[in-house]
Amino acid sequence: MKKGIKVVVYDVDQTNKSVVSTEQDDASMAKAVLDVMATTVGKNAKVGYVNVAGYAALDKRNSVWKTAVDANGWKQQFKVGKVTDSTATDNVPLVSAALTQHSDVVGVFAPYDELAKGTVLAVQNKKLQSKVKVFGADVSNADIQNMTAKDSPWVATAGTDPSAVGAAVVRTAALELAGQLNKTSVDFPAVAITQDFLRKNKIANMDQLRAALPALNLSR
C-alpha cells in the first residue's frame, strides 16, 4: 500500500482503509435460510442450535439467529458445537446427546455445512428425521448430495456460488485498478436453497444448480 499498489482481499479481517475488502454476506446467508425455517416450523417452536463462537463468519450468522429467535418466539432448547479437524464427525455425539435430552425440537439451525452434516447424522442416528428438520448454510456438491439423499432431514441451506465469488473478486480488483470502484467493501449476497427445489429440479451438483438458480449469478 505504501508503494501505491492496490490491494483487494477476500474474507480477511483487516482495518486498513485503503484495502478493498470483499466477502460473502454472512448476514444475508443466515437470514435467507432462517426465513425458510420460520415458514417451516412456525412461531413459538422448540428449536436447537449448533454453532461455535469466535469465528467471524459464524459470529455474524449468530447475530441473525438471535434476531430470528426473538422475532419468531422460538424456544432454544440447546446450543452445542465445535470446530475441529473432523467437524462433521465430532459434532455427531454432541448433537445426539442434545437430542436425547430435547427430542421435542422440530428444527435445528447449524450455520456451517460441516456442522450441518454432523447434525444430519445425529438426527438420523436418533431416528428423528421425520420430525426434526435441519437448516444449514453453505452449498457444495457434497451438500447437495446430502440434502437430496433419501430421508435426509436437511431441508434448507443458503449460499453463494464459490466460482462466481472468485470471478466477482477478480472483477472487483479490475474495477479498483481502473479507478471505477469508488468503495472499500463489497459483499456478495447469499441465496436460499431448499431440499424441495433440489429434488423437484433433479439437481445433483453445483453445475446443475447454477443453471436452475440464476440468482446465484454474481455477474452484475
Side-chain angles (χ1 to χ4, degrees), residues 90-158:
D90 290 344
N91 276 277
V92 175
L94 297 179
V95 182
S96 293
L99 289 172
T100 297
Q101 289 185 296
H102 304 284
S103 60
D104 55 346
V105 300
V106 295
V108 179
F109 182 45
Y112 165 38
D113 55 357
E114 292 302 307
L115 293 173
K117 290 174 187 174
T119 302
V120 166
L121 287 171
V123 171
Q124 291 173 329
N125 287 348
K126 301 299 293 184
K127 303 285 193 287
L128 292 170
Q129 56 266 40
S130 64
K131 177 186 174 185
V132 180
K133 306 302 181 187
V134 177
F135 300 84
D138 306 314
V139 62
S140 67
N141 287 339
D143 297 339
I144 291 171
Q145 291 166 12
N146 196 316
M147 289 179 69
T148 56
K150 183 180 179 182
D151 296 327
S152 173
W154 189 351
V155 298
T157 191

Side-chain angles (χ1 to χ4, degrees), residues 71-106:
N72 291 284
W74 290 337
K75 300 172 179 64
Q76 182 179 311
Q77 302 298 97
F78 64 81
K79 179 185 177 184
V80 297
K82 62 182 177 180
V83 172
T84 67
D85 290 336
S86 303
T87 298
T89 302
D90 290 344
N91 276 277
V92 175
L94 297 179
V95 182
S96 293
L99 289 172
T100 297
Q101 289 185 296
H102 304 284
S103 60
D104 55 346
V105 300
V106 295

